Amino acid sequence: MSLFLTKEGKRKSPMAVTVFFVDLLFCLVFGGAYALLTEPLHSLLPLGGGMPETVLHCLIIAVIGTAVCCVLFLLPDKRIVPYSFAGLPVITIMCLVASTQLEADLRGMMVYVTLLYTLLPILIGNLAAWTIYFKLRSKDGLRR
């Protein structure tokens, strides 16, 4: 039994590796969206600071980042995008586990920042990606 070839001699799809690297790409997209859009949103939508403003800005950035990431639905294998969004919580958990190695005051800040910047992209991304995937699957009659 071969790791990379099927019984018929065709190349196997390394879906887990593909999904992991697309997860990393999604992290870069969302990180770039936060880096590029935080200041303009703060200027355009000032709500007096505080948590409501932060959550609104994170929501807008998560929607924009999800839209950019969903461009990968143009790939032939439509499973890559929803599987990658489903894998984003794993990266969040890895960051939370890594934060246990920090000192107590830094750990609290790391957990706060990690959850602040990952929860909305995970929720919105999974909602959008799985909805699009199931619509494409029912439309095209995909069996995967």
Side-chain angles (χ1 to χ4, degrees):
M1 181 158 154
S2 176
L3 184 62
F4 298 109
L5 298 175
T6 64
K7 292 178 183 177
E8 295 81 31
K10 295 181 180 179
R11 185 179 60 85
K12 287 183 182 178
S13 171
M15 183 59 74
V17 174
T18 303
V19 166
F20 175 74
F21 282 109
V22 172
D23 276 341
L24 294 180
L25 175 68
F26 285 2
C27 289
L28 289 174
V29 167
F30 284 112
Y34 278 108
L36 293 174
L37 297 175
T38 300
E39 184 60 34
L41 285 174
H42 183 68
S43 300
L44 293 172
L45 294 170
L47 296 176
M51 191 55 77
E53 179 179 350
T54 303
V55 171
L56 177 65
H57 293 172
C58 288
L59 180 67
I60 292 169
I61 292 170
V63 169
I64 292 170
T66 299
V68 170
C69 292
C70 283
V71 169
L72 291 181
F73 270 115
L74 297 174
L75 293 172
D77 193 348
K78 306 300 184 209
R79 300 174 297 169
I80 292 173
V81 177
Y83 288 4
S84 296
F85 272 113
L88 282 178
V90 174
I91 293 177
T92 300
I93 291 169
M94 288 174 15
C95 290
L96 293 174
V97 168
S99 72
T100 62
Q101 301 300 313
L102 298 172
E103 297 174 13
D105 55 340
L106 295 175
R107 184 181 316 125
M109 180 60 76
M110 174 75 171
V111 169
Y112 173 75
V113 169
T114 300
L115 294 177
L116 178 69
Y117 292 128
T118 59
L119 284 181
L120 285 174
I122 288 170
L123 294 173
I124 293 171
N126 274 297
L127 179 68
W130 286 102
T131 302
I132 293 169
Y133 173 70
F134 286 126
K135 294 232 185 242
L136 288 173
R137 193 173 119 181
S138 66
K139 178 182 161 189
D140 294 338
L142 296 174
R143 292 285 182 229
R144 295 187 206 184

